[in-house]
Structures are given as structure tokens and as C-alpha cells.
Amino acid sequence: MILRLSHLISQSTPSYGNKDRIIIRDNSSIKKGDTANSSCWIFSNNHIGTHIDSPNHFSETGKKIQDIPAGDFFYNVVSLVDIPCTNGVLIGINDLKKVEELIDINVELLLIRTGYENYRTENKYWNDSPGLAAELADYFRDKFPALRCVGFDFISLTSWNFRPEGRISHRAFLCPEDDKKFLLVIEDMALLATNNKINQVIVAPLFVEDGNGGAVTVFATIDTNSRS
């Protein structure tokens, strides 16, 4: 079975801080007598909806999306863990240790499901959202050396309640010091529908000039005969 793990892009897509919007309007319309349908899509921010952060998001010298080899967007060892959240807590090492045994030691993509997707139509989704603590970046690198990307079902790596920590977290994941490997981040994912073992994930970003991140379509193949 193949699932889409990215949300539909729409004019109701929530944004971090509730300050950005996506506008979709007709350029031409068959219903209005034109020969074809075409649309105008306006993103007031490229970091909105299901999207990926590249190192250039928090470092002027960090890699941009177009600098990352295409093969790095294919993940053949994927682990999904559940860390339920009902408010904007900061998820740290102690939370991951509780589910550590469920993570493949060779994991390339780690998906963290909190259930916060259930609040996506509410203000709570952006103004009381979970986040990942900066300490997790080195924890992931040490425990899972093959890890290249972390994705989750809340609006940003930065919790609205812990914004200073969130800025540190972004730098720790995306542009660490001492020549450590960067970890890509996929925010605002759709994870509720997958309860089975994920065999492969393909992340398809938009390749845009000077890409510090942007919208992605995420596909997963799952084994319907094996529960995760």
C-alpha cells in the first residue's frame, strides 16, 4: 500500500505564528469561458504546510535544497514512534529513551507521531505546539549514525512556548558545529493514517533557486500485514 504523508496545500493551511497564508485563485477558468484552467498560487512564506528545512534555513553557508543529492530524499530504513502530546511540551532525550527500542539502529528517517495532527484546524496547533529539544540532535547522531532526517506531525521543530530553545534546536539539527552531520527536518506531516510498518519513504521537494526549504510531497510504502 502507498500512502501520502504530506497534507494537502490549501488556503486553510495553518502557519507558524498564524502570520502567513497560501492564496489560490484562478488565472483562467473553463467555467468562465476560457479555453483552459490555470491557477495562481501565492505562498507568503516557503515554510508553511508539510515542508522540509535545509541547513541554509539557519546558516548562510548551509546547504540549500538543490545542493543535496537526489538520493538523499529516498529512505529505505524508516522508524515511526509514538510520543503522545496534548499540549506544547518540549520533547527531549528522556521521551525518546522510552521508545528507543522501537527505532531501527540503521534508521535513515525517523518519524515522531504525537497525535497533534488532530488539532490542525484549531489555533492550538500553532500557539500551543510541541517542539524538539536541541539535545536530541546529538543524541540522534550518536545513537543512530545512519539517520539523515527527522519528521513529525506538529507545525515546527520550534514550540511556540519555547521559541529561544527552538532557534537553538534548528541550528543543532541543521547546521551543527565541529563538522557534524546535519539532519534534515520535515515539519507538519500527516501521520495519523499509517499504523503499519513503513518500508520506504520518498520525499519530493520543490527545487527553487536559493532553496532554504519548502513544500514537499511525501510518499510511503507500507506493509499491511505487519503492525508497527
Side-chain angles (χ1 to χ4, degrees):
M1 180 184 293
I2 299 176
L3 293 178
R4 176 165 52 87
L5 304 184
S6 47
H7 290 287
L8 181 72
I9 295 172
S10 74
Q11 295 189 112
S12 61
T13 294
S15 66
Y16 186 79
N18 197 35
K19 57 188 177 182
D20 290 295
R21 295 291 181 268
I22 295 172
I23 299 171
I24 302 172
R25 65 186 184 211
D26 291 340
N27 275 341
S28 62
S29 169
I30 294 173
K31 289 182 178 179
K32 296 177 181 177
D34 297 312
T35 57
N37 292 317
S38 66
S39 304
C40 174
W41 301 345
I42 300 172
F43 289 67
S44 65
N45 191 317
N46 59 322
H47 293 267
I48 186 172
T50 305
H51 68 277
I52 196 166
D53 289 351
S54 78
N56 187 248
H57 185 32
F58 269 76
S59 170
E60 187 61 31
T61 59
K63 283 192 175 184
K64 301 173 182 177
I65 291 295
Q66 64 266 32
D67 299 326
I68 298 171
D72 284 1
F73 298 109
F74 289 71
Y75 303 96
N76 295 311
V77 184
V78 182
S79 292
L80 169 69
V81 294
D82 288 294
I83 302 177
C85 296
T86 56
N87 55 20
V89 298
L90 196 61
I91 298 170
I93 290 176
N94 288 338
D95 300 296
L96 265 296
K97 283 185 174 179
K98 295 174 183 176
V99 295
E100 187 179 289
E101 71 278 3
L102 300 176
I103 304 174
D104 192 308
I105 190 63
N106 298 309
V107 64
E108 298 172 346
L109 169 64
L110 175 62
L111 301 177
I112 299 173
R113 181 169 55 191
T114 65
Y116 232 71
E117 189 178 341
N118 287 308
Y119 303 115
R120 200 167 184 264
T121 60
E122 304 176 22
N123 287 337
K124 179 182 179 71
Y125 190 70
W126 67 264
N127 68 19
D128 189 27
S129 55
L132 298 185
E135 64 180 9
L136 283 173
D138 280 343
Y139 165 80
F140 286 146
R141 292 186 187 98
D142 293 341
K143 285 285 184 179
F144 310 105
L147 185 67
R148 291 185 277 118
C149 184
V150 178
F152 41 81
D153 61 350
F154 42 94
I155 200 164
S156 174
L157 184 74
T158 297
S159 166
W160 188 252
N161 300 330
F162 301 93
R163 278 164 279 175
E165 173 76 11
R167 290 187 284 271
I168 297 170
S169 292
H170 270 92
R171 288 190 287 269
F173 276 80
L174 298 172
C175 40
E177 298 177 351
D178 303 324
D179 296 322
K180 295 176 183 177
K181 179 178 67 172
F182 65 81
L183 298 174
L184 295 172
V185 175
I186 305 176
E187 302 174 323
D188 192 21
M189 294 187 72
L191 300 179
L192 283 180
T194 178
N195 292 316
N196 300 285
K197 178 176 171 55
I198 301 173
N199 295 320
Q200 184 188 48
V201 167
I202 299 172
V203 176
L206 290 174
F207 288 91
V208 180
E209 185 178 5
D210 291 330
N212 52 64
V216 289
T217 299
V218 183
F219 295 110
T221 61
I222 65 171
D223 182 356
T224 57
N225 296 315
S226 176
R227 307 296 292 180
S228 61

